């Protein structure tokens, strides 16, 4: 019995030594991991809205962002905002403008947000954006893009921007692209007359299941849908002198299967949406009307 007790004691003692040794080794590994880990910061988008309209230079676009770092915002030194212009239309020459610093947000320019973190906003009319870029009428058109980029600088000198963002940061909860590139739309100030074509597609092949595109032309209502099958085409005409012209997408049972495209009388794709098109008013983009 004594021999067995001694053997048991030796085993327990050895186990304890191994356990302590393992914990010590583990702590060293963890310490090394943490010592080599660099923590950064993000600018999370809380909201971005508005549309730049080619035919209305008073139209606005803006965004609100929240600074997040591992000290609850105390590591932020500043946020620089840059603007640039991407000319996507060849007809009026190349008016591309490289980045220009237009504003610096300091900590005192932020307010405290819902979660106790610093929050700031920026909004600009199309006219103001064009002025900052040094562009005039004839230098821009629908399809061109005005681009905004944020650069976050921390108190230790490190900087973060869109080049540092991965899918984990730009998507999901963080939604931190550091970049906004609203494309200039052409929203006709008056209905563009002529024949419009609607191409309707259902990926499952059983029709739109209750979804539809409803239009109103001077009080006359019409509705277009895909009763069955995987695709179909419909046309309608907006007469000369029309004063009221609205379109709306009405949700059905399986919108994730639904896609549509509307071609304007000018031959342009006025809109394409889906799968799961936006429900409600449809805004057409027609630059040649």
């Amino acid at each position: 019995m004594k021999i067995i007790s001694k053997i048991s004691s030796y085993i327990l003692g050895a186990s304890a030594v191994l356990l302590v040794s393992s914990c010590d080794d583990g702590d060293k590994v963890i310490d090394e991991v943490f010592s080599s880990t660099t923590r950064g910061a993000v600018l999370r988008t809380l909201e971005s809205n508005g549309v730049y309209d080619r035919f209305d230079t008073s139209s606005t676009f803006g965004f609100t962002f929240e600074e997040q770092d591992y000290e609850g915002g105390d590591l932020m030194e500043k946020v620089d905002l840059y603007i640039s212009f991407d000319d996507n239309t060849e007809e009026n020459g190349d008016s591309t403008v490289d980045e220009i610093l237009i504003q610096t947000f300091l900590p005192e320019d932020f307010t405290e947000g819902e979660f106790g973190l610093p929050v700031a906003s920026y909004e600009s009319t199309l006219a103001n954006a064009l002025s900052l870029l040094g562009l005039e009428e004839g230098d821009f058109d629908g399809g061109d893009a005005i681009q905004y980029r944020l650069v976050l600088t921390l108190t230790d000198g490190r900087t973060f921007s869109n080049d540092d963002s991965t899918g984990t940061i730009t998507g999901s909860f963080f939604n931190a692209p550091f970049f906004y590139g609203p494309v200039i739309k052409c929203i006709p100030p008056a209905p563009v007359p002529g024949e419009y074509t609607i191409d309707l597609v259902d990926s499952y092949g059983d029709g739109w299941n209750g979804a539809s595109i409803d239009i109103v032309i001077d009080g006359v209502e019409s509705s277009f849908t895909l009763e069955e099958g995987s695709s179909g085409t419909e046309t309608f005409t907006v007469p000369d002198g029309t004063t009221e012209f609205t379109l709306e997408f009405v949700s059905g049972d399986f919108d994730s299967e639904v896609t549509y495209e509307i071609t304007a009388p000018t031959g342009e794709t006025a809109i394409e949406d889906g799968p799961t098109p936006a429900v409600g008013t449809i805004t057409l983009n027609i630059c040649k009307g």
Side-chain angles (χ1 to χ4, degrees):
M1 291 293 292
K2 290 182 180 179
I3 294 175
I4 294 176
S5 296
K6 287 183 178 180
I7 292 174
S8 299
S9 297
Y10 290 146
I11 292 174
L12 289 172
S15 298
V17 171
L18 287 173
L19 180 60
V20 171
S21 176
S22 297
C23 288
D24 288 344
D25 290 343
D27 288 344
K28 290 178 181 177
V29 172
I30 291 298
D31 289 342
E32 289 177 5
V33 169
F34 280 119
S35 66
S36 62
T37 299
T38 301
R39 289 181 286 183
V42 298
L43 296 176
R44 184 168 77 95
T45 300
L46 299 181
E47 183 180 28
S48 65
N49 52 47
V51 175
Y52 282 147
D53 180 4
R54 168 70 179 83
F55 302 120
D56 179 10
T57 56
S58 67
S59 55
T60 62
F61 174 82
F63 47 88
T64 300
F65 57 95
E66 173 186 77
E67 197 273 350
Q68 295 186 7
D69 59 55
Y70 55 90
E71 292 293 339
D74 290 340
L75 296 182
M76 175 179 58
E77 180 175 301
K78 65 175 181 175
V79 175
D80 288 325
L81 174 61
Y82 293 84
I83 190 172
S84 60
F85 182 73
D86 189 11
D87 192 334
N88 296 314
T89 52
E90 300 178 354
E91 295 83 357
N92 57 355
D94 187 0
S95 301
T96 298
V97 179
D98 293 333
E99 281 192 336
I100 302 169
L101 175 64
I102 58 172
Q103 186 169 340
T104 295
F105 295 88
L106 299 175
E108 55 264 32
D109 298 321
F110 287 73
T111 59
E112 185 175 308
E114 178 183 359
F115 301 107
L117 296 171
V119 172
S121 297
Y122 179 81
E123 184 178 77
S124 173
T125 63
L126 176 57
N128 180 64
L130 294 170
S131 176
L132 291 170
L133 292 162
L135 298 177
E136 300 177 347
E137 182 66 37
D139 294 331
F140 67 97
D141 207 342
D144 295 336
I146 293 177
Q147 301 174 330
Y148 296 99
R149 186 171 72 94
L150 296 168
V151 179
L152 168 62
T153 301
L154 300 185
T155 53
D156 61 7
R158 288 182 296 155
T159 61
F160 298 89
S161 191
N162 57 317
D163 291 338
D164 306 301
S165 301
T166 64
T168 304
I169 297 300
T170 58
S172 67
F173 169 79
F174 289 105
N175 189 20
F178 290 87
F179 181 87
Y180 309 90
V183 175
I184 299 174
K185 303 292 186 181
C186 298
I187 303 173
V192 176
E195 184 178 80
Y196 290 75
T197 301
I198 309 176
D199 291 311
L200 310 94
V201 175
D202 184 87
S203 61
Y204 191 76
D206 63 344
W208 272 18
N209 297 285
S212 65
I213 293 176
D214 295 351
I215 69 171
V216 177
I217 301 175
D218 284 342
V220 179
E221 300 180 7
S222 301
S223 184
F224 300 95
T225 188
L226 187 64
E227 296 291 351
E228 59 183 14
S230 58
S231 63
T233 300
E234 301 283 355
T235 61
F236 64 91
T237 299
V238 174
D240 285 324
T242 295
T243 58
E244 179 193 14
F245 173 38
T246 62
L247 301 94
E248 178 183 8
F249 176 76
V250 178
S251 180
D253 293 331
F254 298 99
D255 289 354
S256 60
E257 302 170 3
V258 172
T259 302
Y260 71 85
E261 179 178 311
I262 299 178
T263 303
T266 58
E268 302 168 82
T269 298
I271 187 172
E272 51 186 340
D273 201 0
T276 315
V279 176
T281 301
I282 298 172
T283 301
L284 300 182
N285 180 43
I286 306 175
C287 293
K288 299 176 182 178

